[in-house]
Amino acid sequence: MPEFLEEWAWFRGLSSELRSLTLETAIERTAEPGEYIARAGEPSAYWYGLLQGILQMYIVGADGSETTLYCMPEGEWGGEGSLLKREPRKYDLRTLTSSQLCLIPARTFETLRRSSIEFNHFLCDNLNQRLGVVVGILEASRLLSPDMRVAKALLMLADSKGGDAQALLVPQHELALICGLSRQRVNIAISLLKSSGLVRSEPRKGLLFVDVPLLRLFVSAHDRGTHMPGQNGA
C-alpha cells in the first residue's frame, strides 16, 4: 500500500505530517468477487483507492432489478462525491473480481482536503474524468447501438495503465448490467467484436481478452462517423 500511495502526485506533494497521517490511518483490504464494500444508505466512511481488481457501483430498483452506474478499474480512486456531500451512500459498492483496496477514512480525507492544494486539484480532475465517463454512458444508453454500448463498456473496464491485450474476468450477466442489455444481446455484440478481431475469449476460464488499442480505435472511428478498414461498423 505505501508503494501504491507513492505513485500519486497528490500524496508526494503532502507535508511529511500529512503523509504520515495518511499512512497511519489508511486501511488495506482484500475482497473476493461479489463482496460488498459499502451499502446504499450507510454513512460514507472511506475514500477508496483500488490497487487491484474492479469495483462496481450499482443500484437496486424497488422491483429488485439492478443497474450498474459505473465500474472503477484498478489504479483509480472513488467515493469522494459522497464524502464531499456528507451524505449516506446512494448506491451499493461491490467487487466484480478479487480486489485489493486502500481505504482512507473520512476524517483523514477531510484533513487532506482542507490542507492540500495538490489534493484538491486531484479531486477536481478525478471528478471531471468520471463525469465524462458518466456522460458517455448516458449517450450510449440513448443514442448508440447495443454493439457500441458493449464496446464502450469493455473500454471502461480495461485498465488505462495496462497493456495492449488485457484479460477481463467479468461474468457476462454483469456485463449485461453494465450495458443495460440482455445477456443474449451482449452475446451477439461479443460475437461481432470477435469477428472483427477486437476481442477473443476463453470460455473455460471465463476470460475475455480485449485488444485495447484496436477497440479504442474502433470506438473512436464510430464517434467520428468513419469506419476502420475491414470493419462494417457497429
Side-chain angles (χ1 to χ4, degrees):
M1 188 172 63
E3 289 80 7
F4 174 73
L5 289 169
E6 286 288 351
E7 294 177 5
W8 300 93
W10 66 260
F11 180 80
R12 298 193 301 270
L14 299 176
S15 66
S16 58
E17 291 81 7
L18 289 176
R19 286 199 301 272
S20 296
L21 172 68
T22 304
L23 288 169
E24 290 169 3
T25 58
I27 300 169
E28 187 169 1
R29 175 177 174 181
T30 57
E32 295 303 315
E35 189 172 334
Y36 286 97
I37 305 302
R39 301 302 301 265
E42 293 180 344
S44 301
Y46 297 102
W47 188 46
Y48 304 95
L50 190 57
L51 286 74
Q52 181 181 356
I54 300 174
L55 293 184
Q56 177 192 29
M57 302 176 186
Y58 78 103
I59 56 175
V60 180
D63 60 354
S65 60
E66 298 181 5
T67 187
T68 297
L69 302 175
Y70 180 72
C71 282
M72 191 173 90
E74 62 186 60
E76 286 194 9
W77 291 86
E80 62 273 2
S82 297
L83 289 172
L84 290 171
K85 289 181 285 187
R86 300 181 182 180
E87 66 180 15
R89 292 207 166 275
K90 301 291 188 182
Y91 52 82
D92 290 311
L93 182 66
R94 69 183 176 190
T95 56
L96 274 180
T97 64
S98 296
S99 301
Q100 184 179 9
L101 300 96
C102 172
L103 310 181
I104 304 295
R107 182 172 295 183
T108 300
F109 174 89
E110 185 61 22
T111 299
L112 298 179
R113 190 179 73 85
R114 293 180 178 275
S115 307
S116 170
I117 293 177
E118 290 86 353
F119 186 71
N120 280 279
H121 284 173
F122 176 78
L123 291 181
C124 288
D125 291 343
N126 204 42
L127 286 167
N128 188 52
Q129 179 180 357
R130 187 164 301 123
L131 178 61
V133 173
V134 171
V135 169
I137 293 173
L138 182 62
E139 174 203 12
S141 67
R142 296 188 176 184
L143 299 177
L144 299 184
S145 69
D147 303 321
M148 190 56 59
R149 286 161 68 175
V150 172
K152 289 203 171 190
L154 292 174
L155 282 181
M156 180 177 69
L157 292 169
D159 181 5
S160 59
K161 299 180 181 178
D164 290 349
Q166 297 186 31
L168 302 180
L169 184 59
V170 181
Q172 201 154 89
H173 71 276
E174 297 287 2
L175 185 57
L177 287 175
I178 293 168
C179 300
L181 299 168
S182 68
R183 292 180 63 179
Q184 292 80 3
R185 191 59 188 84
V186 168
N187 263 327
I188 294 172
I190 293 296
S191 296
L192 181 144
L193 296 175
K194 284 181 181 178
S195 66
S196 300
L198 303 175
V199 304
R200 63 183 179 86
S201 63
E202 287 191 11
R204 291 183 180 180
K205 296 182 179 180
L207 292 175
L208 193 65
F209 290 89
V210 178
D211 190 316
V212 176
L214 279 181
L215 191 61
R216 188 175 290 120
L217 182 61
F218 176 71
V219 170
S220 177
H222 179 277
D223 290 344
R224 295 194 307 269
T226 60
H227 299 301
M228 292 171 56
Q231 306 285 348
N232 292 324

